Amino acid sequence: MEAWPDDFRCPITLEVMTDPVILPSGHTFERRSIQRWLDGGHLTCPVTNLPLPPSPPLIPNHALRRLIATVAPSAVAAPAPSEGPAQGRQEAAAAVQSSSSVPALLRLAKSGAAGRREVLESGNAAVLLRHAAAGDEAAARALLLLTLDGDDARVGLVADGAVDALSAAVRHGGAVAALAATALTSLATVDVNKCSIGAHPSAIPELVGLLRRGGPRERREAATALYELCKLPENRRRAVREGAAPALADFAAVGSARAVEVLGLLAKCREGRQQLCKIPGIVSVLSGVAGSGNSRAIEQAVLVLNWICSESNELALEAIKLGAFQLCETLVNDDNCKIAKNAVELARTLETA
């Protein structure tokens, strides 16, 4: 038996994989082996023994397949031809050799689902990742289009190194940063990607940095990416450690409802509430949003205000001075039952101050 790297071998058969696929658990297997495992009635991951969702998707691991093909070409059969226009296949194959490869790939990605599959299956996503990391707006736009092609594509792009490239693109600022942040939002809609992106050493720090220094569009996209990522509890703590709370409070102060929604997620963890209590003027910001924001922003602002007033008697007294009781009296009659409920709970908290 040749000494191939363990990552090349299927955990079930220990043979070098020819068609590696990723389970929702994050582990990679030979397609035929894991399919037999699932067809046998097993409901857990063979490696972790953790439960799998019903009919778990088997997502092609394009990055590993290409690596195996490079190191052990005899182990991997040539891929079957993809469906789609012949012209699209020719353009994808020629794109890497062309000095205008990014524009060609962008056109292909814009052409529809078949074109996006050509880009992904031909391995040309690597070209876009490299150029996006260097600040190429067209490459970032093409990557965003690729992320819209379903969960398989999203997981595959993360496996191909998209988080590295998109984090670097965010660092450049401007339009490319906004596109990269939007692409990260799209990737993070898959639960396994929330974990991968959040654990990346640069992703959340770069998004927080963009939230601090960007223009309105960049800040909005950064806040939206953080909102999607912070649906995972561990990512809330990571965002707090990177200083997201003050940056979000600043953005909320100029009318961002999305920023208030992210603050609502951060306040669900103790570290988040503690950090919010330390932000100068936070009571004034939340009271302002609760008095004049849209329904979703009002709901979250009152909720966060209640949490921080529960943490700090000093902040509760400040809220009372700013008219929080009168605000609650108005909001308890709101047609939105969540706003009314949050207003009642805030009034009860303030009564004990």
Side-chain angles (χ1 to χ4, degrees):
M1 182 181 289
E2 295 186 69
W4 301 118
D6 288 343
D7 288 345
F8 285 16
R9 300 184 182 279
C10 173
I12 297 174
T13 65
L14 301 183
E15 298 293 328
V16 175
M17 291 179 279
T18 61
D19 188 9
V21 293
I22 307 169
L23 271 186
S25 65
H27 290 275
T28 296
F29 302 86
E30 172 64 33
R31 182 186 293 275
R32 287 173 296 181
S33 300
I34 192 60
Q35 191 63 62
R36 283 197 297 269
W37 170 270
L38 297 172
D39 290 345
H42 298 284
L43 304 176
T44 59
C45 170
V47 173
T48 66
N49 206 34
L50 294 175
L52 295 168
S55 303
L58 302 180
I59 300 165
N61 191 333
H62 296 298
L64 181 58
R65 192 181 196 285
R66 288 196 298 274
L67 182 59
I68 294 173
T70 300
V71 177
S74 61
V76 180
S82 302
E83 296 178 1
Q87 181 180 353
R89 288 196 295 273
Q90 292 167 1
E91 187 170 15
V96 176
Q97 305 299 326
S98 170
S99 59
S100 60
S101 60
V102 170
L105 292 171
L106 176 57
R107 287 194 300 274
L108 199 55
K110 284 181 175 180
S111 69
R116 291 191 289 273
R117 280 199 305 273
E118 292 296 340
V119 176
L120 290 167
E121 294 176 4
S122 65
N124 284 332
V127 176
L128 297 174
L129 292 172
R130 185 170 65 253
H131 283 270
D136 188 316
E137 184 179 341
R141 189 177 299 280
L143 284 171
L144 174 57
L145 290 169
L146 296 185
T147 70
L148 304 179
D149 213 37
D151 288 355
D152 287 7
R154 294 183 182 109
V155 175
L157 282 166
V158 169
D160 282 352
V163 185
D164 278 328
L166 293 172
S167 297
V170 169
R171 193 178 308 128
H172 284 280
V176 67
L179 289 165
T182 307
L184 285 170
T185 301
S186 180
L187 293 175
T189 58
V190 183
D191 285 345
V192 69
N193 283 354
K194 284 182 176 64
C195 184
S196 300
I197 297 169
H200 190 278
S202 299
I204 288 178
E206 293 298 344
L207 289 169
V208 173
L210 186 62
L211 192 60
R212 291 195 188 106
R213 68 177 186 271
R217 180 191 174 197
E218 292 83 54
R219 296 176 82 186
R220 182 177 67 250
E221 298 302 341
T224 301
L226 288 170
Y227 177 74
E228 192 62 44
L229 288 168
C230 288
K231 291 177 182 177
L232 183 71
E234 180 54 35
N235 286 343
R236 297 168 195 162
R237 291 184 280 273
R238 288 168 175 148
V240 169
R241 288 194 293 268
E242 294 300 331
L248 289 163
D250 287 344
F251 197 24
V254 296
S256 171
R258 178 63 81 192
V260 181
E261 290 181 298
V262 187
L263 289 174
L265 290 174
L266 298 187
K268 290 183 177 182
C269 68
R270 185 166 183 81
E271 299 96 319
R273 293 192 293 275
Q274 290 173 339
Q275 187 61 48
L276 285 167
C277 289
K278 297 175 183 178
I279 299 173
I282 186 63
V283 173
S284 177
V285 169
L286 294 171
S287 297
V289 174
S292 61
N294 61 34
S295 293
R296 180 63 176 164
I298 293 171
E299 175 196 331
Q300 292 299 307
V302 176
L303 180 66
V304 176
L305 196 54
N306 181 41
W307 274 333
I308 65 173
C309 287
S310 300
E311 292 278 333
S312 167
N313 194 60
E314 181 180 346
L315 294 180
L317 294 173
E318 182 182 347
I320 292 171
K321 289 180 182 178
L322 291 173
F325 270 128
Q326 293 87 335
L327 179 64
C328 289
E329 288 175 0
T330 302
L331 295 180
V332 292
N333 297 312
D334 196 278
D335 291 337
N336 185 317
C337 61
K338 291 183 178 179
I339 291 176
K341 176 178 177 289
N342 291 347
V344 169
E345 293 179 354
L346 174 58
R348 288 173 179 166
T349 297
L350 296 177
E351 286 172 353
T352 64

